[in-house]
Amino acid sequence: MGKIAIASDHAGREVKDDLIEFLKGLGYEVIDMGVNSDSSVDYPDYGSPVAEKVSGGKIERAVLLCGTGIGMSILANKYKGVRAALVSDVYSARMAKEHNDANILVIGGRVVGKGLARELVKEWLEAKFIGGRHQRRLDKIKDIEEKRK
Ligand code: RB5
């Protein structure tokens, strides 16, 4: 099934831990990059190592969670080659892969319950990027990334 990294801050920890069990049950090798306590932490400290791995090609895909998912998505999208999608509905989770080839799925642990979070991740993992005109659009984003660095 492949490898998937996952991390959260304190506000996403419960949903993260549930997703780890779920993904392991589906047969994925899950790399838990914290946080593993309920004490308040800063989401960049946990999101950055994951975004770095994806950006550097060390891992193909990852899931990040914080309270709303907003902080983690802002952070992850600073990294070259990262396409992080914050989703809270199943349609967007599928489109995130089919149209945007998102390599990080971001979920708000205070927005989405455990059951829906499982559905979101499963939908994203099972979808396939459809390329074509969507690849052209991603290429344009890549060009901007190159020019602005
Ligand atoms: C933490 O309170 C919260 O701000 C954080 O989890 C996240 O929602 C930030 O975007």
Side-chain angles (χ1 to χ4, degrees), residues 43-103:
Y43 59 83
D45 296 340
Y46 291 86
S48 292
V50 170
E52 229 170 272
K53 264 187 189 289
V54 173
S55 177
K58 295 216 167 66
I59 195 152
E60 246 176 73
R61 59 203 161 176
V63 176
L64 290 174
L65 303 100
C66 59
T68 57
I70 295 170
M72 281 294 200
S73 57
I74 292 171
L75 168 83
N77 281 311
K78 300 284 180 204
Y79 284 79
K80 193 174 172 194
V82 165
R83 292 177 300 279
L86 171 58
V87 299
S88 56
D89 69 276
V90 170
Y91 174 74
S92 300
R94 187 167 81 248
M95 287 301 124
K97 178 66 77 57
E98 286 189 2
H99 286 193
N100 310 108
D101 200 19
N103 46 19

Side-chain angles (χ1 to χ4, degrees), residues 84-125:
L86 171 58
V87 299
S88 56
D89 69 276
V90 170
Y91 174 74
S92 300
R94 187 167 81 248
M95 287 301 124
K97 178 66 77 57
E98 286 189 2
H99 286 193
N100 310 108
D101 200 19
N103 46 19
I104 298 187
L105 196 75
V106 189
I107 295 171
R110 288 176 177 162
V111 179
V112 163
K114 290 177 189 167
L116 178 54
R118 287 180 172 211
E119 289 301 309
L120 297 174
V121 171
K122 191 164 186 281
E123 196 75 14
W124 170 67
L125 286 170

Side-chain angles (χ1 to χ4, degrees), residues 3-20:
K3 242 191 228 182
I4 182 157
I6 189 165
S8 72
D9 68 356
H10 54 288
R13 192 200 54 79
E14 237 184 276
V15 176
K16 170 183 71 74
D17 288 347
D18 183 71
L19 284 175
I20 291 172

